[in-house]
Short mmCIF file of all heavy atoms in Angstrom, two decimals:
data_model
loop_
_atom_site.label_atom_id
_atom_site.label_comp_id
_atom_site.label_asym_id
_atom_site.label_seq_id
_atom_site.Cartn_x
_atom_site.Cartn_y
_atom_site.Cartn_z
N PHE K 315 129.64 146.17 99.05
CA PHE K 315 130.03 144.91 98.43
C PHE K 315 130.03 143.77 99.45
O PHE K 315 129.53 142.68 99.17
CB PHE K 315 131.41 145.04 97.78
CG PHE K 315 131.88 143.78 97.14
CD1 PHE K 315 131.34 143.37 95.94
CD2 PHE K 315 132.84 142.99 97.74
CE1 PHE K 315 131.75 142.19 95.33
CE2 PHE K 315 133.27 141.80 97.15
CZ PHE K 315 132.72 141.41 95.95
N VAL K 316 130.58 144.01 100.62
CA VAL K 316 130.68 142.95 101.63
C VAL K 316 129.32 142.61 102.23
O VAL K 316 128.99 141.44 102.41
CB VAL K 316 131.69 143.36 102.73
CG1 VAL K 316 131.65 142.41 103.90
CG2 VAL K 316 133.09 143.45 102.15
N GLN K 317 128.52 143.60 102.52
CA GLN K 317 127.25 143.37 103.20
C GLN K 317 126.14 142.86 102.28
O GLN K 317 125.38 141.99 102.66
CB GLN K 317 126.76 144.67 103.87
CG GLN K 317 127.62 145.12 105.02
CD GLN K 317 127.56 144.19 106.21
OE1 GLN K 317 126.51 143.65 106.52
NE2 GLN K 317 128.69 143.98 106.85
N PHE K 318 126.04 143.42 101.09
CA PHE K 318 124.88 143.15 100.24
C PHE K 318 125.17 142.30 99.01
O PHE K 318 124.25 141.75 98.41
CB PHE K 318 124.23 144.47 99.81
CG PHE K 318 123.88 145.35 100.97
CD1 PHE K 318 124.57 146.53 101.20
CD2 PHE K 318 122.88 144.99 101.87
CE1 PHE K 318 124.26 147.34 102.28
CE2 PHE K 318 122.56 145.78 102.95
CZ PHE K 318 123.26 146.97 103.16
N ARG K 319 126.42 142.23 98.57
CA ARG K 319 126.82 141.45 97.39
C ARG K 319 125.91 141.69 96.19
O ARG K 319 125.37 140.75 95.59
CB ARG K 319 126.83 139.96 97.70
CG ARG K 319 127.82 139.52 98.70
CD ARG K 319 129.19 139.50 98.11
NE ARG K 319 130.11 139.04 99.16
CZ ARG K 319 131.37 138.88 98.97
NH1 ARG K 319 131.89 139.13 97.80
NH2 ARG K 319 132.14 138.49 99.94
N PRO K 320 125.73 142.97 95.78
CA PRO K 320 124.89 143.23 94.61
C PRO K 320 125.61 142.79 93.33
O PRO K 320 126.81 142.51 93.33
CB PRO K 320 124.71 144.74 94.63
CG PRO K 320 125.93 145.25 95.30
CD PRO K 320 126.29 144.20 96.32
N GLU K 321 124.85 142.72 92.27
CA GLU K 321 125.44 142.42 90.97
C GLU K 321 126.47 143.50 90.63
O GLU K 321 126.28 144.67 90.98
CB GLU K 321 124.35 142.40 89.89
CG GLU K 321 123.39 141.24 90.02
CD GLU K 321 124.08 139.92 89.75
OE1 GLU K 321 124.93 139.85 88.84
OE2 GLU K 321 123.78 138.95 90.47
N PRO K 322 127.54 143.14 89.96
CA PRO K 322 128.58 144.12 89.66
C PRO K 322 128.08 145.33 88.87
O PRO K 322 128.49 146.46 89.13
CB PRO K 322 129.60 143.32 88.83
CG PRO K 322 129.40 141.92 89.27
CD PRO K 322 127.94 141.79 89.59
N LEU K 323 127.21 145.12 87.91
CA LEU K 323 126.70 146.23 87.12
C LEU K 323 125.85 147.18 87.97
O LEU K 323 125.91 148.40 87.81
CB LEU K 323 125.89 145.71 85.92
CG LEU K 323 125.51 146.75 84.87
CD1 LEU K 323 126.74 147.45 84.34
CD2 LEU K 323 124.74 146.10 83.75
N VAL K 324 125.07 146.64 88.89
CA VAL K 324 124.26 147.46 89.80
C VAL K 324 125.18 148.27 90.71
O VAL K 324 124.99 149.47 90.90
CB VAL K 324 123.30 146.57 90.62
CG1 VAL K 324 122.62 147.37 91.71
CG2 VAL K 324 122.28 145.91 89.71
N LEU K 325 126.18 147.61 91.26
CA LEU K 325 127.13 148.28 92.14
C LEU K 325 127.87 149.40 91.40
O LEU K 325 127.98 150.52 91.90
CB LEU K 325 128.13 147.26 92.69
CG LEU K 325 129.04 147.72 93.81
CD1 LEU K 325 128.23 147.98 95.07
CD2 LEU K 325 130.10 146.67 94.09
N PHE K 326 128.33 149.10 90.21
CA PHE K 326 129.02 150.11 89.41
C PHE K 326 128.11 151.29 89.09
O PHE K 326 128.52 152.45 89.21
CB PHE K 326 129.54 149.49 88.10
CG PHE K 326 129.97 150.53 87.11
CD1 PHE K 326 131.17 151.20 87.28
CD2 PHE K 326 129.16 150.86 86.03
CE1 PHE K 326 131.57 152.17 86.38
CE2 PHE K 326 129.55 151.84 85.14
CZ PHE K 326 130.76 152.49 85.30
N THR K 327 126.89 151.01 88.67
CA THR K 327 125.97 152.08 88.30
C THR K 327 125.67 152.99 89.48
O THR K 327 125.73 154.22 89.35
CB THR K 327 124.66 151.48 87.75
OG1 THR K 327 124.98 150.62 86.64
CG2 THR K 327 123.71 152.56 87.31
N ILE K 328 125.35 152.42 90.62
CA ILE K 328 125.03 153.22 91.80
C ILE K 328 126.22 154.08 92.22
O ILE K 328 126.08 155.29 92.46
CB ILE K 328 124.56 152.32 92.96
CG1 ILE K 328 123.20 151.72 92.63
CG2 ILE K 328 124.52 153.08 94.27
CD1 ILE K 328 122.76 150.63 93.57
N PHE K 329 127.40 153.49 92.28
CA PHE K 329 128.55 154.25 92.75
C PHE K 329 129.09 155.21 91.69
O PHE K 329 129.65 156.25 92.04
CB PHE K 329 129.63 153.31 93.28
CG PHE K 329 129.35 152.91 94.69
CD1 PHE K 329 128.60 151.80 94.97
CD2 PHE K 329 129.80 153.68 95.73
CE1 PHE K 329 128.30 151.44 96.27
CE2 PHE K 329 129.51 153.35 97.04
CZ PHE K 329 128.75 152.22 97.31
#
Side-chain angles (χ1 to χ4, degrees):
F315 179 75
V316 170
Q317 293 293 322
F318 305 111
R319 296 284 181 179
E321 292 293 321
L323 190 57
V324 171
L325 191 67
F326 167 76
T327 303
I328 291 170
F329 277 90

